[in-house]
Amino acid sequence: MPASANAPSMPVVQSAIETIVDEAISAAPDCVLRRAILPAINWAEVAPVKVALLISTLADARVTVPRWLAKQLLLAGHALPENLEKTLTSALVALNRVNGPGSSSEKREDIAGMLPALCADDQIEADVAAALVQKFTALGWADEAVRLALAQQLRAPGILKRAGKAVAAYVDSLPTVRVRLIGTSTTQTLADDFKPSFAALGWRADVTQADFGTLLAELMRPPEGADAHVVLLDLDGFAPQDWRRSAADASDLLAERINHLAAALREFTAHSQAPLLINTIPVPAAPAAGFLDRSHASGLRRAVDRINRHILEAAEQSKQIIVVDADQALASLPIRDQSDAKLWYYGRIAYSADAVRLLARAFAEAWSSLKRGPAKVLAVDFDNTLWGGVYGDDGVEALACGDDFPGNAFRALQAECLRLRQQGMLLVALSKNNPDAITAFQTHAGMLLQPDDFAATAINWEPKPDNIRKIAAELNLGLDSFVFLDDSPHEREAMRRLCPEVSVPEMPVDPAERPLWLRRMTRTWPLRLTAEDETRAALYAARRDAENAKASAVNFEDYLKGLEQHLTVAHVSRATLPRVVQMHERTNQFNLTTLRSTEAEISALIESGDRGVAIVGRVRDKFGDHGLVIAATVEINGAEAVIRSLLMSCRVIGREVERAFLGALIEDLKSRGVRRVSGDYIPTRKNAMVKEFYASCGWQSAGADGERTSWTFDVTAMQPPRSQFVALNWEA
């Protein structure tokens, strides 16, 4: 067929594809529900204007953009409206910020605050992590690209290539650890993976390898100059099978080899001061004696158990020997994928590429833990971390902790805390609550933890970074020995910014995932356990009241600036009335009067014309939308107004949202001709934190009636309170 006959085919095909895309967008609500057509579209070739039409079509049909579609669009380079970010993971939010409008410097500043969380997040999808690194590299953000690539390399193999040449420069800037690598098989692949694995933990690995087949000689006469010696063991390399031997002879030969290894390990500790890291041999991919593999003399699993037992015994006798449990290191990889037959037969490489990466990280983590020591303190939040619910709003009885879901998941996390305490870690209570929140552990039947399980407590409304510094001083421990657990991304962000020495992992959103997640956290793994570890918590409890030190000052303003808070204020409507009523029913801590206004009472107020007003505020920040969290009701009598209720959810306390909201309320009253506003503080057992709120906002005292205090604000002569950290706007 002549070439000219084919010439029109490309435009025709392109037109057909465009038609399919247009039809899919017009039928988007049905396509989303059926998950049809839309997943097959290459959105990178679709114009942004059509993507905007897709989103508006779904919005008009009141169909939420599903996460799978949002991910497709973001990976294709499109940006989504900011109001959709609340349904996205933190990594997808970051990708949306990078794809969105704004200068490179503005985007980089935005990402800077998110990067520590992204690096700490062990649930980021590989393709999203890779896309972020590629975007960072394209924008010239070398440091961000390398840090994220190193942190996520286990979940996204090949991600380091996307960071380009910057990786080598970054690694060269790190402090050096000299590693001598010995193995019973080829060690080159492990040596290669040591470099990124150690770099992810802050070290540049300078690796030298022993000659093949020199394991015992190297151990008996270890060369000088190494900071650490690493032994990579595998079964076939250490104890190859000879099936012409009888089972008894094979067992005797294995015993001889094990004895030689044990003697070599003893010789190593006699001639070297450097640590020796050695792995156990993992479970065999297939048995040699079938069902009897663990009991019969010819069983491979039996052989593995015998070898590993002697390695562990050697480690018990010498603090220099650190054992890396290969089964634990490779737990995320199916046994059949831990080795690659072709690699073994081609080059005597015992482990697959994926297994080598996991073993490299395990060795690096063992070295890092040895160098800095395991964490000594677990600082834990209360609300929605150790129990489900909010103590101040829900009350003790409503807290979720017990035998039924989700309470059993929170109870299981408390059990993990007790396990760590028994192993020598100190527990610290770090909660934004009234001090009496600690009594929930005694009064709630489902709690496993008790107040005296905590070596120190900071249960107040002060910034948690301030509190953790004070506790570190009380316990005479460095901040680098602390691990901080909190369900709130805001609190984690503040801790990372203001106390960068503290380990702040990204806690899973689902409470059911948290117990095993904490158990897998290598930062909490002890290198050794002694009888003294069980008494450490009691020792610190006895001395904590005798030690006093002033905590270092930190700049909390930087944290508030980085939150990018937005407060949207509106008059209460029929749509928002149910939430406002609920807040009046449940809010206890930030509540000036604790008047439990009913729906009928608030409805009457908002329908009273110029005799009353009720407003509500929605807060969002770079982490997402917090919804309606603050409200007030006011009675108006000509030029006089009385604040009947002013309350706010505790999840945004201490971030100056309350100041901005009060200022907006005063401005609204001023526009209605009000010249003087008054309000009361009525104390309760739970609202002591707001006792000085009016005073802190510049109001004048108008006297007291017992514990009840009254305050006034002259609208004509005084400036309403404002906050430089909260952007305010009114919703029509």
Side-chain angles (χ1 to χ4, degrees):
M1 183 177 292
S4 59
N6 287 331
S9 63
M10 184 58 68
V12 170
V13 171
Q14 185 64 32
S15 176
I17 292 175
E18 289 179 350
T19 300
I20 292 173
V21 172
D22 292 340
E23 291 292 336
I25 290 174
S26 64
D30 191 48
C31 288
V32 165
L33 294 176
R34 297 172 182 269
R35 199 164 182 169
I37 304 177
L38 296 178
I41 294 175
N42 181 3
W43 292 102
E45 297 181 357
V46 178
V49 65
K50 290 191 176 183
V51 173
L53 178 60
L54 167 70
I55 294 170
S56 65
T57 300
L58 292 173
D60 291 342
R62 296 185 178 181
V63 175
T64 302
V65 177
R67 200 189 69 82
W68 59 264
L69 178 57
K71 178 183 172 182
Q72 278 189 285
L73 297 174
L74 292 170
L75 289 176
H78 296 287
L80 303 178
E82 195 171 315
N83 68 316
L84 296 182
E85 289 186 351
K86 61 184 178 181
T87 64
L88 304 179
T89 63
S90 59
L92 289 176
V93 170
L95 190 54
N96 193 44
R97 302 287 177 86
V98 176
N99 291 347
S103 67
S104 177
S105 60
E106 291 172 336
K107 293 179 181 179
R108 191 172 193 176
E109 185 177 351
D110 193 11
I111 291 299
M114 306 176 70
L115 188 62
L118 295 173
C119 291
D121 193 346
D122 60 2
Q123 300 184 65
I124 294 181
E125 296 165 290
D127 51 356
V128 177
L132 281 169
V133 170
Q134 188 164 329
K135 293 277 187 180
F136 295 169
T137 302
L139 289 167
W141 306 348
D143 184 68
E144 291 86 345
V146 172
R147 287 173 58 194
L148 183 59
L150 287 171
Q152 297 296 331
Q153 59 177 308
L154 286 183
R155 281 168 286 282
I159 195 173
L160 289 172
K161 295 180 180 178
R162 295 177 183 256
K165 297 180 180 179
V167 175
Y170 177 87
V171 173
D172 285 343
S173 70
L174 300 174
T176 300
V177 53
R178 296 165 298 177
V179 180
R180 181 67 170 175
L181 180 55
I182 325 162
T184 50
S185 56
T186 302
T187 57
Q188 184 60 54
T189 55
L190 183 63
D192 293 339
D193 274 312
F194 266 174
K195 296 178 181 179
S197 294
F198 275 82
L201 300 174
W203 300 92
R204 183 179 77 85
D206 182 4
V207 185
T208 60
Q209 301 176 67
D211 293 335
F212 186 83
T214 61
L215 172 65
L216 297 181
E218 279 267 335
L219 289 177
M220 291 183 178
R221 292 294 182 268
E224 297 180 355
D227 297 310
H229 297 257
V230 175
V231 176
L232 177 66
L233 288 182
D234 69 280
L235 182 58
D236 288 335
F238 179 74
Q241 301 297 312
D242 182 354
W243 297 110
R244 291 191 178 278
R245 289 179 177 273
S246 67
D249 286 347
S251 179
D252 291 342
L253 180 60
L254 177 63
E256 184 177 347
R257 287 175 171 148
I258 292 174
N259 289 334
H260 286 163
L261 176 61
L265 291 174
R266 288 193 297 271
E267 282 291 299
F268 176 88
T269 59
H271 290 90
S272 176
Q273 298 300 313
L276 175 73
L277 281 60
I278 183 171
N279 67 283
T280 58
I281 296 176
V283 174
F291 293 116
L292 305 177
D293 205 57
R294 203 161 193 172
S295 58
H296 193 272
S298 63
L300 296 183
R301 184 60 187 275
R302 185 172 186 268
V304 167
D305 289 345
R306 291 175 66 187
I307 297 167
N308 290 343
R309 184 172 66 253
H310 281 77
I311 293 171
L312 295 172
E313 289 174 353
E316 288 180 3
Q317 296 169 7
S318 172
K319 294 182 179 180
Q320 286 176 252
I321 301 175
I322 307 299
V323 178
V324 170
D325 188 330
D327 286 330
Q328 180 60 44
L330 302 175
S332 62
L333 196 63
I335 294 176
R336 64 177 180 276
D337 295 335
Q338 294 175 9
S339 60
D340 186 324
K342 287 186 178 180
L343 291 177
W344 174 255
Y345 295 125
Y346 178 78
R348 290 186 67 84
I349 299 173
Y351 297 98
S352 67
D354 289 338
V356 167
R357 275 191 293 272
L358 292 170
L359 287 170
R361 175 57 67 90
F363 278 119
E365 287 176 337
W367 160 258
S368 181
S369 184
L370 184 66
K371 191 68 177 177
R372 66 179 179 177
K376 298 177 181 177
V377 184
L378 188 69
V380 196
D381 172 50
F382 284 176
D383 294 334
N384 292 312
T385 299
L386 287 183
W387 57 58
V390 178
Y391 170 80
D393 290 343
D394 301 330
V396 175
E397 297 79 8
L399 298 179
C401 187
D403 296 328
D404 300 322
F405 184 81
N408 49 8
F410 290 102
R411 183 181 171 94
L413 185 66
Q414 291 191 22
E416 291 301 313
C417 292
L418 284 174
R419 173 185 62 81
L420 291 173
R421 184 178 184 273
Q422 187 186 64
Q423 293 175 359
M425 284 194 76
L426 304 178
L427 300 184
V428 164
L430 210 61
S431 176
K432 282 187 175 177
N433 253 309
N434 283 344
D436 64 354
I438 193 73
T439 62
F441 292 107
Q442 292 173 307
T443 56
H444 192 293
M447 303 286 178
L448 289 181
L449 289 170
Q450 292 298 303
D452 58 4
D453 289 324
F454 296 97
T457 62
I459 307 169
N460 53 45
W461 298 100
E462 298 300 314
K464 291 186 179 181
D466 286 353
N467 282 330
I468 206 168
R469 285 184 181 276
K470 293 175 183 176
I471 287 176
E474 291 173 9
L475 299 177
N476 196 25
L477 293 172
L479 288 174
D480 58 353
S481 63
F482 281 70
V483 174
F484 174 61
L485 302 188
D486 199 302
D487 70 295
S488 168
H490 308 286
E491 299 296 350
R492 297 196 297 266
E493 169 78 358
M495 192 64 71
R496 290 190 183 106
R497 281 179 176 269
L498 304 178
C499 295
E501 308 95 325
V502 176
S503 295
V504 186
E506 282 294 281
M507 176 175 278
V509 175
D510 187 350
E513 297 179 4
R514 295 174 184 172
L516 281 181
W517 164 82
L518 179 56
R519 197 180 299 176
R520 295 188 186 106
M521 191 184 299
T522 55
R523 187 72 180 90
T524 68
W525 289 4
L527 290 172
R528 297 191 179 278
L529 286 174
T530 67
E532 295 175 350
D533 292 320
E534 293 189 21
T535 64
R536 182 172 290 115
L539 293 174
Y540 272 90
R543 60 182 276 193
R544 70 187 176 197
D545 293 333
E547 299 182 2
N548 296 302
K550 187 175 290 184
S552 302
V554 295
N555 187 355
F556 195 62
E557 292 183 358
D558 287 344
Y559 162 60
L560 292 178
K561 289 177 183 177
L563 284 177
E564 301 171 13
Q565 298 181 100
H566 297 267
L567 171 63
T568 300
V569 181
H571 294 103
V572 176
S573 65
R574 286 295 169 190
T576 58
L577 179 60
R579 168 58 180 160
V580 173
V581 173
Q582 182 188 58
M583 292 172 66
H584 278 77
E585 291 173 344
R586 299 179 58 182
T587 304
N588 296 307
Q589 293 164 305
F590 196 104
N591 193 330
L592 274 296
T593 59
T594 323
L595 297 178
R596 308 299 186 186
S597 299
T598 65
E599 181 171 345
E601 291 171 335
I602 299 176
S603 295
L605 187 67
I606 62 178
E607 293 172 359
S608 65
D610 58 1
R611 291 180 296 158
V613 64
I615 67 171
V616 65
R618 176 184 295 273
V619 174
R620 63 178 175 83
D621 55 34
K622 70 179 182 180
F623 291 103
D625 191 341
H626 296 277
L628 304 176
V629 294
I630 187 166
T633 59
V634 184
E635 294 177 347
I636 303 174
N637 185 10
E640 300 280 333
V642 177
I643 296 179
R644 192 166 71 181
S645 65
L646 175 56
L647 45 90
M648 182 174 69
S649 169
C650 67
R651 61 177 177 263
V652 292
I653 285 175
R655 294 163 48 184
E656 296 200 6
V657 169
E658 57 272 28
R659 288 181 60 85
F661 181 83
L662 182 58
L665 174 60
I666 291 173
E667 292 285 4
D668 183 66
L669 294 174
K670 182 178 180 180
S671 70
R672 297 170 183 268
V674 171
R675 300 170 63 86
R676 181 175 178 272
V677 186
S678 61
D680 290 341
Y681 163 66
I682 303 174
T684 68
R685 188 171 58 88
K686 295 185 177 182
N687 73 346
M689 63 167 298
V690 293
K691 180 179 181 180
E692 302 298 327
F693 175 68
Y694 282 130
S696 69
C697 292
W699 289 45
Q700 301 297 314
S701 174
D705 181 10
E707 292 185 340
R708 179 180 186 143
T709 57
S710 297
W711 304 84
T712 62
F713 188 92
D714 188 339
V715 176
T716 63
M718 305 169 68
Q719 287 293 323
R722 291 182 174 84
S723 173
Q724 61 176 313
F725 308 114
V726 181
L728 173 71
N729 67 282
W730 276 87
E731 184 176 82

